Amino acid sequence: MQSLNEGQVKTLIAIECNPAYDAPADLAFKDALQKAEFRAHLSQIVDETSALCEWHLPASHALESWSDLRAPEGTASIVQPLIEPLYDTRTAHDLIAILSGQTGAKPYGLVQDTWRSHASKDAFEGWWKKVLEDGVIPGTASQPVNVGDPTLPEIKPIKATEGATLVLAADPTLWDGRYASNAWLQECPNPFTKQVWGNSLGMNKADAARLGLKNGDKVRLTRNGRQLEVPVLVREGHADGVISLALGYGRSAAGDIGTGVGVNAFAFRETLASWVLDQVKIEKLPKSEDFAIATAVTRLDAATKDLFPVLTLAGLTSANLKRNQESQPSLLPPSPWPGPAWGMVIDNSACIGCNACVMACQAENNIPVVGPEEIEWGRIMHWIRIDPYEQDNGPGQTRVAGFEPVPCMQCEKAPCEPVCPVAASIHDSEGLNVQVYNRCVGTRFCEANCRYKVRRFNFFGYTDGQEYKNLGAEVLHAQKNPDVSVRARGVMEKCTYCVQRISRARREAEKENRTIRDGEVIPACAAACPTRAIHFGDLDQNSQVRRLRSEPQHYALLGDLGTRPRTTYLARVLNPNPALEKGEG
Amino acid sequence: MTVADARLDADRVPLPHGRALVAVSLKDEDVTDLVARPVLGDGAGRGWLIAFIAASLGAIVMAGGLVWLLAVGVGIWGINSSVVWGFAIANYVWWIGIGNAGTLISSMLLIMRQRWRASINRFAEAMTIFAVTIAGIFPIIHLGRPMYFYWLAPYPNTMTLWPQWRSPLVWDFCAILSYLLFSIIFWYTGMIPDLAALRDRARSRPAQVFYGALALGWRGSARHWSAHHTFTVTMAAMAVPLVCSVHSIVGLDFAASLMPGWQETIFPPYFVVGAMFSGFAMVIVLAALIRWGFRLQSIVTIQHFDIMGQILAAAALIMGASYATEWFSAWYGGRAVDRSVVTFMFTGPYAPLYYAMLLFNVALPQVFWLPVARRSVLLLCIVSILINIGMWLERILILWMTLSHDYMPSMHRLFYPTAGDWLFLFAPLAFFAFLFIVFVRLLPVVSIHEVQALRREEAAA
């Protein structure tokens, strides 16, 4: 930085980074950057740094490049492209090769050369193909290092200071802002607050009451001469005097999607105080701002505790979660069909609320992005939603009790079916409630009658002529899954248990003259879940989902209403250390 | 005796049952004169023209709104993934409710031999037809794909599909269609003797042809009158169950669902009474306007308003009992979600509207226990307008309370109206006024032959 500021830098090349946006504010990088004589930026979009450079070099996406990378424990892997580059772009390898004089070198050759020493000249091609097939390069993991026995660090108590302490964190979906132009990630709800398309200042209820603030009120943060105006969102998990803000927002050059969304916390950050900033002054402003909140966070109390039961391991065997409702009478006739009976079991103990299932479902089923204004009006489009549940944790504080993913329950006695006037919501022989898009006239009675509110309506042509901003561009048509239709304006849609995947498995099984095996059909949400919380299968076979349904912690959401959902849950089971309960240790 | 004197006469002549329903000093020809003058005479005056222009502008705004809605989509309203039904459905129920009173006045009161209906039934039935027409627009335009609304009708098609009969919306389709057809037939056939009277009095050739064609060759013979009477009474006998069933089916749109706050067996009768309530309130306002505009004080008398005021007070009590039943059932049934909805009604963000509704629908109409209040046309009109507002609030709150606060707290969401919502609330009112203003210029606004019969009865009594 010193040479840059003194004007000693002749050429500055920025490779796939964005320091004009995310460098700490005290470096004044934007001004320093312009002191270099020649500036070029290799990046995917023309962003804040590109705007200040003389040349912007378009970079290839990782999915269309040859490269390599290392896992945290050292194992190396080759990055293989999935498609030919869509545009005339180059990778960082191309650039560095040109800069070092190897003008004709291609990334494929460069990557091979990096690893050529791992096999003899003749055996290299065979070795290379095996490495590409396996995905990892064997024997590249780092050796463990002996650091001795673990010891507790010595934490000196901090003197209490004036003002609040601001904790900055990378955003769960936009990370450091690099994904600000990704509409899916902008519309992916924050796991705890369910806010989309923006960030907010988090603080607990007691602090908000003390400062006279409620959700949406804007405050001005002041520290070391820097100021930041940001709206407040009262939320769980904050100690008294601690406020939080996510990085990655407030970008000024992130394309149609990401520009101007949220507040830029990087403008407040300093080199020596990059994650915890103390002595922040909070000043209430007479302004307020609306948030886009996808769904609400539910407080666990006497009325809502049945929606998210929390059990302890000690009390598990005596748990009486009588929510299987087979004993509930019904006026509707039983289903007479043979064949697979699809069911899903979601384990609340495993769910961490990460939203991978939400994103996977969006990718698999061509679910449109609706934009912040539509979310503010309450028109979410994600077929699966994750409901966070909070419980009291002392005066003025709450903490997360757990997360409950809610896809369509595929009820055996579905309330949405008898109310559709045109029979667009019907039941198939395998237990799925299917929505017939081309029959739907859009009365929305099905969503009115759904107890779980899992159906989604196309209030506008979100995929069909009234897309949000530039999301109707021609190139995005290639992203759509060809196995799933795109819904028109005025049509109701919902989770289908990835019926296209069931259909594919059925066709393969029929070709081979056998039944579908357990584990052969994996819906997109189950495939993406990192903790394997979602299980799917045939209830008529001796499958994993059937075994899970006989667990003592198994229950059906709103099971006493007699809808007989095929999507059921395993309650969250905790095993707290008795010493923790008493506040010791 | 002049018509002006006859107006005063109606208030002065003592009769066994109190004040007169029709001024007995009027002759048959005077009745026809009074009603025919605005239609066949020099026109209805400048006031009518101004009202016509204003209402036409409103009708144009409504047409523009329809084009906007059909082009852009139902997203122009404030509906969302939780509150999927908003102003459009509330408007639909409100307009059908208004329409019900016209049919009740024509048919039910005929069968119950309430002769006082004769002065008001013609424009009340016209009100019904226009209200049901407007109401019928909403279930079509609120669809996501309104061009396929006809799939709710049972017609032979290449898909070999019938509508899904268990859905109350299919019942709605049949009910409203039959109600509209019935109302048009009943209104028209009842008008035939009056159209013949206009045909006979018309001086211009186009008027003679117009009313002559509509009069279907009525000669006023004894056989014609006998057949007419039999037909009218038979239709009236069909109309009463029709009215009850139509609005019960509208109530079943909610009661046949499974949502808290909707799944109540009291909804069908509660909706029917509510419809009668709001409809009579609208009839009072229309009667006052027509009486004042066409100087019909001798035909539409204070006694009519007295009786209608009593009906309002009675219906308000029944509405109050219905609301109380909702609260009681929620508490007595013991289900947490029902009690939660009732608590939300009284303490949630919509609570001020709920209290306003209770004030307008239950508390204010109790003033009509006082005879002096019933005889003040101004007070009747003010309270009637407030009742109509209160009944609209009731419809929208039925939708909002349940859909905003049902089984899954994560999807609890409020409804915020948009400009499109307000447009579709007020523009149809202007369109209704437009239709009504055209009606009073073209057709006899009071049933001439029935008023003549009533006058003869009162004179003989």
Side-chain angles (χ1 to χ4, degrees):
Chain A
M1 278 308 297
Q2 197 185 350
S3 348
L4 191 59
N5 273 318
E6 288 171 6
Q8 290 173 358
V9 174
K10 281 227 184 60
T11 312
L12 187 136
I13 308 213
I15 300 181
E16 286 174 349
C17 59
N18 194 5
Y21 166 68
D22 58 29
D26 55 347
L27 288 180
F29 192 82
K30 276 207 198 130
D31 304 317
L33 175 63
Q34 302 189 66
K35 293 197 179 117
E37 276 179 44
F38 175 79
R39 308 177 290 284
H41 186 211
L42 176 82
S43 69
Q44 280 181 46
I45 65 168
V46 178
D47 54 25
E48 291 86 345
T49 307
S50 310
L52 296 172
C53 291
E54 286 163 325
W55 282 92
H56 172 252
L57 311 168
S60 300
H61 193 275
L63 292 173
E64 45 185 29
S65 325
W66 282 100
S67 186
D68 53 20
L69 44 74
R70 274 192 200 278
E73 37 76 281
T75 304
S77 166
I78 308 291
V79 173
Q80 305 173 50
L82 294 180
I83 53 172
E84 291 274 358
L86 285 172
Y87 305 105
D88 192 11
T89 52
R90 300 284 184 276
T91 65
H93 302 309
D94 283 302
L95 178 62
I96 296 195
I98 290 170
L99 290 175
S100 58
Q102 302 170 267
T103 334
K106 289 266 156 280
Y108 183 59
L110 290 167
V111 174
Q112 278 193 326
D113 288 341
T114 311
W115 298 100
R116 212 168 275 283
S117 56
H118 280 247
S120 66
K121 201 152 162 306
D122 299 326
F124 181 73
E125 278 307 314
W127 178 88
W128 175 254
K129 283 204 170 50
K130 185 157 193 325
V131 152
L132 289 181
E133 215 176 87
D134 291 343
V136 293
I137 300 174
T140 44
S142 315
Q143 293 302 313
V145 175
N146 190 2
V147 291
D149 286 327
T151 54
L152 280 177
E154 194 192 320
I155 303 177
K156 295 190 192 58
I158 312 173
K159 209 161 33 93
T161 54
E162 283 255 331
T165 304
L166 173 66
V167 174
L168 294 176
D171 187 70
T173 51
L174 301 193
W175 199 234
D176 58 353
R178 66 185 60 189
Y179 299 121
S181 49
N182 185 323
W184 285 355
L185 290 174
Q186 287 277 14
E187 199 154 286
C188 183
N190 180 299
F192 299 98
T193 64
K194 298 287 138 192
Q195 186 185 5
V196 297
W197 293 97
N199 57 350
S200 54
L201 191 70
M203 64 172 66
N204 70 14
K205 246 196 323 198
D207 278 342
R210 189 173 44 83
L211 294 165
L213 295 167
K214 50 181 207 314
N215 282 350
D217 286 345
K218 282 193 94 151
V219 296
R220 180 181 293 131
L221 303 176
T222 315
R223 183 179 190 272
N224 281 356
R226 273 177 263 279
Q227 291 188 335
L228 198 60
E229 284 184 20
V230 58
V232 166
L233 182 60
V234 179
R235 50 178 286 192
E236 44 64 54
H238 286 57
D240 285 337
V242 177
I243 51 181
S244 70
L245 186 60
L247 295 165
Y249 288 92
R251 289 191 57 176
S252 54
D256 265 347
I257 300 292
T259 305
V261 175
V263 171
N264 185 4
F266 283 112
F268 207 65
R269 203 185 196 204
E270 294 173 21
T271 335
L272 293 177
S274 22
W275 300 107
V276 178
L277 290 77
D278 61 356
Q279 296 177 306
V280 174
K281 197 159 78 76
I282 306 177
E283 184 195 324
K284 180 173 175 186
L285 296 172
K287 304 186 255 189
S288 70
E289 200 172 278
D290 278 326
F291 294 125
I293 303 274
T295 51
V297 179
T298 310
R299 186 80 163 292
L300 279 179
D301 55 29
T304 55
K305 64 172 169 46
D306 287 342
L307 297 173
F308 190 76
V310 178
L311 308 173
T312 56
L313 190 60
L316 192 56
T317 41
S318 60
N320 205 5
L321 288 175
K322 263 215 288 254
R323 301 217 156 69
N324 286 334
Q325 3 77 24
E326 261 86 47
S327 55
Q328 291 272 0
S330 173
L331 288 172
L332 298 167
S335 168
W337 307 108
W342 301 110
M344 181 184 276
V345 174
I346 300 178
D347 190 351
N348 288 340
S349 301
C351 179
I352 55 174
C354 70
N355 286 314
C357 54
V358 178
M359 293 290 100
C361 176
Q362 183 154 38
E364 170 79 8
N365 293 300
N366 303 335
I367 297 175
V369 164
V370 299
E373 291 91 17
E374 291 293 289
I375 301 281
E376 278 179 46
W377 280 110
R379 299 168 184 166
I380 54 174
M381 233 23 213
H382 294 134
W383 290 1
I384 181 170
R385 66 173 190 265
I386 307 215
D387 289 343
Y389 286 87
E390 274 181 0
Q391 59 191 77
D392 281 327
N393 191 33
Q397 294 203 4
T398 49
R399 67 177 172 88
V400 171
F403 300 96
E404 189 170 58
V406 182
C408 174
M409 299 283 131
Q410 313 283 356
C411 308
E412 288 178 16
K413 313 286 181 196
C416 57
E417 288 170 15
V419 295
C420 175
V422 289
S425 168
I426 51 182
H427 224 76
D428 80 2
S429 58
E430 296 180 350
L432 263 56
N433 167 269
V434 297
Q435 180 69 21
V436 185
Y437 304 132
N438 49 350
R439 178 69 173 167
C440 176
V441 290
T443 61
R444 307 182 295 286
F445 204 161
C446 51
E447 171 75 337
N449 216 26
C450 174
R451 272 76 167 274
Y452 307 96
K453 291 284 178 278
V454 292
R455 289 167 154 273
R456 303 287 175 256
F457 188 67
N458 287 277
F459 290 94
F460 290 118
Y462 298 129
T463 347
D464 179 44
Q466 288 166 309
E467 291 89 348
Y468 178 66
K469 294 230 166 136
N470 61 359
L471 293 176
E474 188 62 38
V475 66
L476 287 175
H477 296 175
Q479 174 267 315
K480 302 267 185 280
N481 183 350
D483 288 340
V484 178
S485 65
V486 158
R487 282 76 58 188
R489 177 183 109 199
V491 165
M492 189 67 83
E493 58 186 58
K494 67 169 185 76
C495 161
T496 61
Y497 271 1
C498 280
V499 66
Q500 64 277 6
R501 295 188 177 199
I502 296 174
S503 177
R504 193 187 310 144
R506 187 188 314 120
R507 278 177 274 139
E508 289 302 318
E510 279 175 13
K511 277 195 272 189
E512 296 168 21
N513 216 1
R514 58 169 175 83
T515 55
I516 306 176
R517 288 185 285 263
D518 186 29
E520 201 177 333
V521 179
I522 308 176
C525 50
C529 180
T531 57
R532 305 214 191 112
I534 302 180
H535 307 271
F536 182 81
D538 181 0
L539 295 171
D540 275 352
Q541 285 180 18
N542 185 18
S543 58
Q544 190 192 27
V545 280
R546 195 159 97 177
R547 290 193 293 272
L548 285 173
R549 281 168 79 121
S550 50
E551 295 285 320
Q553 74 268 36
H554 176 255
Y555 74 99
L557 189 60
L558 297 176
D560 51 343
L561 296 178
T563 47
R564 310 227 183 133
R566 283 284 177 89
T567 307
T568 50
Y569 294 87
L570 297 176
R572 191 171 169 114
V573 179
L574 300 175
N575 190 17
N577 189 321
L580 274 179
E581 302 277 295
K582 291 188 216 118
E584 308 154 9
Chain B
M1 186 179 270
T2 64
V3 168
D5 294 337
R7 193 166 61 218
L8 298 169
D9 203 27
D11 284 348
R12 257 186 281 133
V13 171
L15 284 175
H17 59 269
R19 310 242 180 143
L21 285 168
V22 176
V24 297
S25 50
L26 282 177
K27 294 200 280 291
D28 277 351
E29 306 88 74
D30 295 328
V31 176
T32 319
D33 275 337
L34 269 175
V35 179
R37 198 179 351 106
V39 180
L40 292 178
D42 302 320
R46 210 150 43 107
W48 181 89
L49 194 61
I50 294 171
F52 176 71
I53 291 173
S56 308
L57 291 173
I60 291 171
V61 167
M62 173 144 161
L66 282 172
V67 171
W68 177 37
L69 174 70
L70 295 174
V72 179
V74 292
I76 63 170
W77 293 332
I79 46 179
N80 55 49
S81 296
S82 302
V83 188
V84 287
W85 288 341
F87 276 37
I89 298 300
N91 294 347
Y92 152 70
V93 181
W94 188 79
W95 280 107
I96 296 265
I98 300 247
N100 267 18
T103 318
L104 283 172
I105 289 173
S106 310
S107 319
M108 189 172 77
L109 296 180
L110 174 68
I111 296 185
M112 287 162 52
R113 301 180 197 279
Q114 298 298 309
R115 307 297 290 166
W116 58 271
R117 65 176 269 287
S119 307
I120 57 172
N121 73 322
R122 176 64 44 72
F123 60 80
E125 283 168 49
M127 175 191 83
T128 293
I129 290 170
F130 303 145
V132 174
T133 306
I134 293 173
I137 293 175
F138 284 107
I140 298 176
I141 61 171
H142 98 111
L143 296 180
R145 300 205 297 170
M147 61 282 201
Y148 298 124
F149 78 94
Y150 61 90
W151 286 351
L152 274 82
Y155 71 99
N157 54 70
T158 53
M159 301 179 282
T160 68
L161 284 174
W162 292 117
Q164 204 273 108
W165 302 111
R166 289 183 297 170
S167 170
L169 300 182
V170 177
W171 312 337
D172 259 353
F173 178 86
C174 301
I176 293 169
L177 193 60
S178 52
Y179 189 38
L180 187 61
L181 288 173
F182 175 89
S183 301
I184 291 175
I185 292 173
F186 194 53
W187 181 64
Y188 170 59
T189 51
M191 228 190 315
I192 287 176
D194 297 347
L195 293 167
L198 290 175
R199 169 199 64 193
D200 297 336
R201 279 163 178 267
R203 285 189 297 274
S204 73
R205 185 79 190 135
Q208 285 172 345
V209 170
F210 179 64
Y211 294 111
L214 288 177
L216 296 183
W218 176 269
R219 279 179 289 111
S221 73
R223 228 169 34 151
H224 282 189
W225 281 114
S226 169
H228 190 260
H229 179 75
T230 311
F231 175 80
T232 305
V233 171
T234 313
M235 287 289 273
M238 284 200 288
V240 179
L242 183 67
V243 161
C244 290
S245 69
V246 165
H247 227 254
S248 298
I249 286 169
V250 175
L252 284 173
D253 278 347
F254 307 105
S257 80
L258 304 166
M259 300 313 285
W262 282 4
Q263 194 187 11
E264 296 172 22
T265 49
I266 202 173
F267 265 39
Y270 158 46
F271 269 61
V272 174
V273 173
M276 182 186 76
F277 188 44
S278 62
F280 265 97
M282 183 63 96
V283 166
I284 286 177
V285 174
L286 288 175
L289 283 171
I290 288 174
R291 182 176 185 256
W292 166 78
F294 295 130
R295 296 188 284 274
L296 297 176
Q297 283 84 349
S298 50
I299 304 183
V300 183
T301 61
I302 281 291
Q303 187 69 350
H304 289 98
F305 289 101
D306 191 307
I307 297 172
M308 290 198 279
Q310 292 174 42
I311 291 177
L312 287 187
L317 280 179
I318 300 177
M319 295 307 289
S322 305
Y323 298 140
T325 312
E326 272 186 272
W327 311 330
F328 174 75
S329 312
W331 170 78
Y332 189 63
R335 279 209 321 173
V337 66
D338 289 330
R339 292 181 179 184
S340 173
V341 172
V342 173
T343 312
F344 181 70
M345 282 185 198
F346 282 107
T347 61
Y350 301 133
L353 294 174
Y354 196 64
Y355 292 126
M357 177 198 92
L358 291 175
L359 177 70
F360 295 160
N361 287 357
V362 184
L364 282 183
Q366 301 309 315
V367 74
F368 296 131
W369 283 99
L370 304 169
V372 66
R374 292 198 296 268
R375 291 178 182 275
S376 158
V377 179
L378 181 64
L379 183 65
L380 277 165
C381 283
I382 290 173
V383 176
S384 295
I385 291 173
L386 291 178
I387 287 173
N388 271 322
I389 295 174
M391 285 309 293
W392 186 87
L393 283 176
E394 181 204 285
R395 302 319 204 281
I396 199 72
L397 288 172
I398 287 176
L399 288 166
W400 286 356
M401 295 299 188
T402 293
L403 292 174
S404 292
H405 196 87
D406 55 32
Y407 291 100
M408 290 304 298
S410 63
M411 291 294 280
H412 286 179
R413 197 110 203 172
L414 296 180
F415 178 97
Y416 296 97
T418 60
D421 284 314
W422 296 119
L423 191 154
F424 278 94
L425 176 57
F426 292 117
L429 285 169
F431 183 57
F432 177 77
F434 171 78
L435 290 173
F436 215 84
I437 287 168
V438 171
F439 155 68
V440 301
R441 183 72 180 89
L442 282 182
L443 296 170
V445 73
V446 166
S447 179
I448 301 173
H449 67 272
E450 287 178 293
V451 169
Q452 289 171 344
L454 176 61
R455 188 204 59 78
R456 281 194 289 274
E457 265 185 27
E458 298 238 296

